[in-house]
Amino acid sequence: MRALSLSAFTALAFWSVGPLQAQTEKSLYERLGGKPAIAAVVNDFVGAVGRDKRISGFFAKADIGNLKTRLVEQICAVTGGPCSYGGRDMKAAHAGLGIRAEDFSALVEDLGATLNKRKIPKKEQSELVSLLAPLRDQIVTR
Ligand code: HEM
């Protein structure tokens, strides 16, 4: 009898949690398509930035392989994915580059174009941009 009531309790617990979980929105990480989709976006994005004459000069001496790895980690981490960012903080990473507000805008524009190309819905695009935009003050130095 005790075992029966315990399993009845377990069944009830699952029954009540199930519908609640269904209502909870998935993380942005999951909605973007997880790590493979984020890696594909980062790959295209870094390519687009490299072709953008307004800002490509900044990346002339950058280690592009490392940049892609770090960006994937960072986007995975801030969107709720199972990653931790292992790079430098944003202030240290961009110190001395002399990035202006217009350079930052150009990069965000390239990100938007890449997200459109990859068919990321507008809702997810704006959530991602909202997570990255606050980093502007650590990156823009003039
Ligand atoms: C929200 C916007 C941005 C994010 C999230 C971001 C993120 C990153 C990350 C994760 C790294 C690698 C750090 C490391 O290796 O430890 C990096 C490096 C770099 N970023 Fe950004 N960045 C942003 C904006 C910009 C802008 C606007 C520019 C220039 C127009 C820029 C130029 C660079 C360059 C040149 C490097 C390489 C520095 C080096 O190799 O020493 N970043 N960025």
Side-chain angles (χ1 to χ4, degrees):
M1 176 61 194
R2 190 156 179 264
L4 192 74
S5 62
L6 201 66
S7 65
F9 173 79
T10 310
L12 188 70
F14 275 104
W15 175 82
S16 61
V17 166
L20 268 180
Q21 276 178 340
Q23 281 166 20
T24 311
E25 199 178 35
K26 284 183 175 178
S27 67
L28 179 56
Y29 170 81
E30 288 176 284
R31 285 178 283 129
L32 288 172
K35 201 119 172 240
I38 291 172
V41 163
V42 165
N43 202 40
D44 287 0
F45 169 53
V46 172
V49 164
R51 287 188 302 274
D52 184 342
K53 293 204 166 59
R54 296 173 295 177
I55 53 174
S56 56
F58 285 103
F59 298 87
K61 290 184 192 150
D63 175 345
I64 299 299
N66 169 72
L67 179 62
K68 287 179 180 174
T69 303
R70 296 308 178 201
L71 277 172
V72 172
E73 279 175 5
Q74 189 184 32
I75 293 174
C76 171
V78 299
T79 57
C83 306
S84 53
Y85 173 64
R88 290 168 289 171
D89 67 74
M90 290 296 96
K91 202 168 178 135
H94 301 91
L97 292 173
I99 298 169
R100 300 164 301 173
E102 63 204 85
D103 303 321
F104 191 88
S105 300
L107 180 131
V108 172
E109 198 183 297
D110 294 340
L111 177 61
T114 303
L115 294 169
N116 280 333
K117 192 184 135 199
R118 285 266 159 202
K119 308 254 186 297
I120 302 294
K122 290 287 178 198
K123 178 176 186 284
E124 279 69 31
Q125 290 196 25
S126 67
E127 283 181 42
L128 180 59
V129 170
S130 305
L131 288 168
L132 299 178
L135 301 174
R136 187 179 179 279
D137 291 350
Q138 297 168 55
I139 293 168
V140 171
T141 53
R142 67 186 175 116

